Amino acid sequence: MNSEGGGSRRIRWLLGFGFFVQGFRGFPWLGANFFLTDELRVNPSVLQLLQNSANLPMVAKPIYGVVSDAVYFFGQHRVPYIAFGALLQAVSWLAIAFLARSNVSILALSLYLLLSNLGASVVEVANDAIVAEAGKQKKPSSSSSGELASFVWMASSLGGILGNLLGGIAIKTFSSQSTFLVFGLLALLQFFVTINIREKSLNLPENPSPAGVKNHVSDLSRVLRKPEISYSIAWMALSTALVPVLTGTMFFYQTKILEIDASLVGVSKVVGQVAMLLWGVAYNRWLKSTSPRKLIAAIQGTMAVFVVSDLLFVRGVYRDMGVPDSVYVLFFSGILESLFYFKNLPFTVLMTRLCPRGCEGSLMAFVMSAIALAFIVSGYLGIVLASFVQVTVDDYSGFAGGLAVEAICVVIPLVLTSWIYDEEEAEEKSKKKE
């Protein structure tokens, strides 16, 4: 019993710190956005293109998942990957920090951002697999199976809060380059902390005979053919990919047209992260037993309301009502960005319950990869939409029309929510058949 308790504490320490660092990635990325716009003078479309293209390593997560499930280093197949990913991030951001002092090119910066996200992807795959494996030690249908998922969600949100809050302050007080150096050192600390943890001390469920890569690919293929899993993933990806987000355009509109201060932009993202933290707390305390389908559908509908609110903001409706632009940006913009990720918590819990033992890393990696690809497609469609409504650096007259299209696209997936697996509905159908 003591051994199990010690393993649980070590898991929470490893994952808590790991997810905190991953949430803190908003710190250097906020600096990167300002560095690209202020130092390299990129336009809104190029900014959004770089933001989304940097996420391409996330799409290969199934590969990292299969490898981490099948390939062991010194009898370990989770902790070494976390350490490797942390080291990649440290090297990438430290390199950017020193290169940024000279005349760095957009190409060089993009390559280092890709390498950083490769490291982040590997870390996330290993972390998600540990969450899924630890969740198997609980009764799958019990509400307690979502406790660890909500814990790491809150740790990531806390990292996001501090990252964005300190990011805005650091950019204003020092420079955007300072954020690269600080995060590089933090990732290096994560590397040293992780290599001192032995995987056996975590008391994770052991696979009696670890299969090779080929067998894991075969297992993943079999799992993905299960309707309850494949349809749920398809809806999750479709509900994101269909929405042409205009994040780069909105960032430019707020900072260049409205001249919102960098520190305020950072604080607005903090508000979004606080909302994510509160969502994790609320889910853990009151919503774990609620149907994931109902929660996800409710979140999708809320997203549509917030996009319409953005449309009214750009139209100047709130300004005419006496609400300053800075107040809206502070309290609403960050929340909308975070809402796009709210669905991930109940969906991750659902996948953890449905995931067969031994395939945790592969399936969770595939899920996160599908979501990452959907976000990339969403970003690229946003670039196309911005071009279609003729938004430029100097002309934002078509921006409101673009937001109207985005709002309509957010609503469309609500028609297909029956694709999301619902345990209660499945049990009722099973009883009727009997």
Side-chain angles (χ1 to χ4, degrees):
M1 183 68 70
N2 290 336
S3 176
E4 290 180 4
S8 177
R9 285 193 297 272
R10 291 187 190 95
I11 287 176
R12 284 179 174 263
W13 160 244
L14 175 68
L15 294 180
F17 183 57
F19 274 87
F20 173 85
V21 173
Q22 294 308 104
F24 200 77
R25 289 172 64 226
F27 181 78
W29 271 102
L30 184 61
N33 286 340
F34 278 97
F35 183 77
L36 285 165
T37 55
D38 295 341
E39 302 294 331
L40 300 184
R41 307 292 181 184
V42 301
N43 61 47
S45 295
V46 173
L47 175 64
Q48 189 156 329
L49 179 65
L50 290 174
Q51 287 173 333
N52 289 279
S53 297
N55 288 326
L56 286 172
M58 303 284 184
V59 179
K61 277 186 174 182
I63 298 174
Y64 319 143
V66 169
V67 172
S68 71
D69 277 343
V71 180
Y72 286 62
F73 293 95
F74 308 106
Q76 304 176 98
H77 70 138
R78 300 301 182 207
V79 172
Y81 291 95
I82 296 174
F84 174 68
L87 184 60
L88 272 184
Q89 291 182 86
V91 170
S92 303
W93 286 110
L94 290 174
I96 294 173
F98 291 109
L99 279 175
R101 298 176 185 275
S102 59
N103 293 323
V104 61
S105 66
I106 293 179
L107 177 60
L109 183 63
S110 300
L111 290 175
Y112 280 111
L113 290 176
L114 282 167
L115 187 62
S116 167
N117 274 353
L118 172 60
S121 302
V122 174
V123 170
E124 288 174 5
V125 165
N127 281 338
D128 289 338
I130 292 176
V131 172
E133 286 175 333
K136 289 298 177 185
Q137 295 174 319
K138 305 285 186 181
K139 185 179 178 182
S141 61
S142 70
S143 62
S144 61
S145 64
E147 286 181 2
L148 186 58
S150 57
F151 167 76
V152 298
W153 174 277
M154 288 185 280
S156 178
S157 299
L158 182 60
I161 290 169
L162 289 177
N164 287 295
L165 178 61
L166 297 177
I169 296 172
I171 292 168
K172 187 176 181 180
T173 307
F174 302 104
S175 66
S176 54
Q177 292 96 312
S178 65
T179 63
F180 310 151
L181 178 62
V182 172
F183 185 81
L185 294 174
L186 180 62
L188 194 60
L189 175 62
Q190 184 187 13
F191 167 74
F192 286 117
V193 167
T194 304
I195 61 175
N196 283 297
I197 296 176
R198 300 297 299 175
E199 198 164 305
K200 284 186 178 180
S201 68
L202 304 179
N203 294 328
L204 294 172
E206 293 185 9
N207 293 330
S209 55
V213 172
K214 185 176 180 180
N215 288 336
H216 274 287
V217 172
S218 176
D219 289 343
L220 177 61
S221 176
R222 185 178 65 255
V223 169
L224 291 175
R225 284 197 291 270
K226 293 184 176 182
E228 65 270 24
I229 292 178
S230 59
Y231 275 88
S232 298
I233 295 174
W235 186 91
M236 192 67 175
L238 192 65
S239 68
T240 300
L242 275 179
V243 182
V245 293
L246 297 166
T247 50
T249 305
M250 182 60 80
F251 179 81
F252 255 84
Y253 179 74
Q254 292 174 356
T255 58
K256 301 303 178 184
I257 303 300
L258 302 181
E259 298 182 343
I260 300 294
D261 189 75
S263 59
L264 186 63
V265 173
V267 174
S268 76
K269 293 182 181 295
V270 169
V271 172
Q273 293 295 330
V274 169
M276 290 181 71
L277 178 61
L278 294 177
W279 166 236
V281 172
Y283 181 84
N284 190 44
R285 293 193 63 179
W286 301 297
L287 301 172
K288 284 182 295 187
S289 58
T290 304
S291 163
R293 180 196 288 179
K294 293 177 181 177
L295 288 176
I296 292 170
I299 292 166
Q300 190 77 11
T302 305
M303 285 166 52
V305 172
F306 270 75
V307 175
V308 171
S309 180
D310 263 5
L311 189 159
L312 299 176
F313 164 65
V314 172
R315 287 282 191 187
V317 173
Y318 297 126
R319 195 179 306 122
D320 294 339
M321 294 169 60
V323 179
D325 293 332
S326 57
V327 172
Y328 182 87
V329 171
L330 181 62
F331 291 105
F332 290 93
S333 293
I335 293 178
L336 175 58
E337 283 188 33
S338 298
L339 272 174
F340 280 92
Y341 298 95
F342 272 38
K343 296 180 292 185
N344 289 4
L345 178 54
F347 189 75
T348 298
V349 172
L350 175 63
M351 288 294 103
T352 298
R353 293 173 182 171
L354 297 176
C355 179
R357 178 165 292 180
C359 200
E360 294 90 353
S362 305
L363 179 60
M364 297 309 295
F366 183 87
V367 169
M368 293 300 108
S369 169
I371 293 174
L373 179 59
F375 271 111
I376 291 172
V377 172
S378 172
Y380 287 160
L381 288 178
I383 296 170
V384 174
L385 177 60
S387 176
F388 179 75
V389 297
Q390 299 180 340
V391 171
T392 65
V393 176
D394 303 312
D395 183 8
Y396 281 79
S397 59
F399 191 18
L403 289 170
V405 173
E406 182 180 347
I408 293 171
C409 292
V410 172
V411 174
I412 292 174
L414 288 172
V415 180
L416 303 172
T417 51
S418 59
W419 288 11
I420 305 170
Y421 179 74
D422 186 86
E423 291 171 319
E424 294 179 3
E425 183 181 280
E427 288 177 3
E428 289 179 6
K429 288 182 178 179
S430 179
K431 289 178 180 178
K432 288 179 180 179
K433 288 181 179 179
E434 293 175 359

